[in-house]
Amino acid sequence: MLGRALRALPYNEESVEGLLGEDGPAAGLSDVAVYDRRLPDTPLGNATRLLLLQVTIDRDAAIAAFGHDGLDALLTTQLARADGDRIAARGRIVPAEGLLMSFDGFAVGDDDPHGYVASYTPTASWLAALTPRRHFGRALDIGTGSGAQALLASRHSDHVIATDLNPRAVAFTALNAALNGIDNLEVRLGSLFEPVAGETFDLITCNAPYVVSPEDRWQYRDAAGFEADQLSQAVVTQAPAHLNDDGFACMLVSWLAESKDDADARVQTWLDDVPCDAWVISLSGADPLDHAAGWNEHLSVDAEDYGLALDRWTAYFEELGVGWISEGAVLVHKRLGHRHVIRTDWADEEELEYGSDQIERVFKALELIADVDDERDLLATRLALPEETRIELALGEEGARVVLEEGTWPELEIDDELVEILGELDGRATLAEAIGQARVPRRRSTLDDIRELLELGMLELR
Ligand SMILES: C[S@@+](CC[C@H](N)C(=O)[O-])C[C@H]1O[C@@H](n2cnc3c(N)ncnc32)[C@H](O)[C@@H]1O
């Protein structure tokens, strides 16, 4: 009933952007005072005030916005409470990704409870960008929080199971499914894969509580009960057994290293024995002090507390013998009975965009590379440039820069010969024919670059 009332307003990304500008739906606590003053005294303005900004409004204004039934429904969810003639928000409902997502109110740092359920965070949007969006039968979201990944998967899956250790998270997810009229999403309480023992899926997502630290402060952040990066390891190594053949698992995790020089060695060992091709995308790396500073920024207003936290965290890493902490995505594609490939890349988290097509191309390429025995196999393939691949030529300069304008936005510098060859790749000619038509020599380095373009999803196998 509440969802219906909100859709009638309509309370969605476009209407909030219309009132507050492009950044409106992503309002933070520091925006509240300004946005509150900018909003009109209209049903949509007051709904936005209460639900997006967590600002108290009059009961009459709430009735004008949601109707009597809608307000009753809102109070029943306990996302708001009546205080005399005033309606006060206890949580937030935010439009994002074409959905309405409810979660706890604005974070206030150290006072947030252990089971705080976070908003649609940047990390949630990174995982959403790095998930293939083809149609799936059964999908699973581990550590679902407010259900963001599960709600997104419900649009292109027959059935979704969302699990979490935190009963409040599971309740928010069920509420969010109802709020959006989604009826193919089931929630289950429990740790990691325990609630789905013996079950298999076509898609698994997990934005794990991957922050390695000595703390057990927040369930959404700290991997309680797991030492070092063991929760991430458990997710990455256990997911493949819960995948059907041709299934994907997309996980945001972290992995430790003695030093920056061997940053990805450990995550690669987790993938050595799984029946999957894997794409590891490192999104950030830091030494223990920078890592501690980043995750304790909320304490920086108090120099003493902040200093104590930094010392506690860095001592923990010293004891572990860890000098470098990486955070990123591990994507795996299960292919039983084949040789497998692990690819490792770096991407800028700020640049990530929806990359479903790129991911499909990357894994098709990895499949080919895993099976290819020599360069003749590669020369016999038919290739094309996807629409999103742009070739940038600079006047007076040799070579070109190739950029893929989606997903991880990879770039590669190429020489003039390869520019000529790419011009001949129309999806019909084989690579060998295209090289012939371009009248350029067939060099080892050219084939290496073609392989790289393929593996980054900048070329498409036809
Ligand atoms: C970083 S949040 C991710 C929330 C949401 N999936 C998203 O993408 O925004 C991690 C979630 O994992 C849950 N969690 C923590 N430990 C867990 C465990 N052992 N098993 C399952 N879920 C766990 C937390 O309660 C939290 O909801």
Side-chain angles (χ1 to χ4, degrees), residues 338-374:
H338 291 269
R339 273 186 287 173
H340 297 108
V341 177
I342 305 172
R343 185 178 165 96
T344 310
D345 282 293
W346 177 89
D348 181 346
E349 57 199 23
E350 304 292 333
E351 280 197 349
L352 287 181
E353 277 180 11
Y354 267 90
S356 176
D357 293 343
Q358 181 196 12
I359 294 165
E360 296 276 4
R361 287 195 297 270
V362 167
F363 279 99
K364 264 213 154 54
L366 294 184
E367 200 170 318
L368 173 89
I369 303 295
D371 289 341
V372 150
D373 280 322
D374 60 30

Side-chain angles (χ1 to χ4, degrees), residues 124 141 143-145 149 164-166 190-192 207-209 219-220 231:
D141 183 33
T144 198
Q149 313 301 332
D164 205 291
L165 191 64
N166 177 0
S191 180
L192 297 187
N207 177 7
Q219 281 179 303
Y220 73 88
L231 183 134

Side-chain angles (χ1 to χ4, degrees), residues 114-121 123-125 127-128 141-150 163-167 169-170 190-193 195 205-210 218-224 226 231 252:
H114 182 61
Y116 178 82
V117 175
S119 65
Y120 185 61
T121 56
T123 64
S125 71
L127 181 58
D141 183 33
I142 298 275
T144 198
S146 62
Q149 313 301 332
T163 71
D164 205 291
L165 191 64
N166 177 0
V170 166
S191 180
L192 297 187
F193 294 94
T205 50
C206 178
N207 177 7
Y210 58 70
W218 293 297
Q219 281 179 303
Y220 73 88
R221 190 193 73 173
D222 305 310
F226 291 85
L231 183 134
L252 274 197

Side-chain angles (χ1 to χ4, degrees), residues 16-50:
V16 171
E17 282 174 19
L19 293 177
L20 296 174
E22 211 185 322
D23 296 333
L29 192 53
S30 60
D31 298 310
V32 170
V34 172
Y35 284 176
D36 182 24
R37 282 159 179 78
R38 206 177 284 293
L39 286 173
D41 184 16
T42 59
L44 178 63
N46 284 317
T48 306
R49 199 167 262 122
L50 181 73

Side-chain angles (χ1 to χ4, degrees), residues 11 19 21 26 32 71 74 124 133 166-167 213 219 240 249 291 305 334-335 337 349 362 386 428 461:
Y11 178 65
L19 293 177
V32 170
L71 177 58
L74 177 63
R133 298 290 168 196
N166 177 0
S213 82
Q219 281 179 303
H291 172 81
D305 274 3
K334 188 160 176 173
R335 285 193 313 123
E349 57 199 23
V362 167
R428 291 190 295 274
L461 278 167

Side-chain angles (χ1 to χ4, degrees), residues 276-294:
C276 300
D277 295 320
W279 188 18
V280 176
I281 306 166
S282 180
L283 295 173
S284 68
D287 68 13
L289 185 56
D290 279 341
H291 172 81

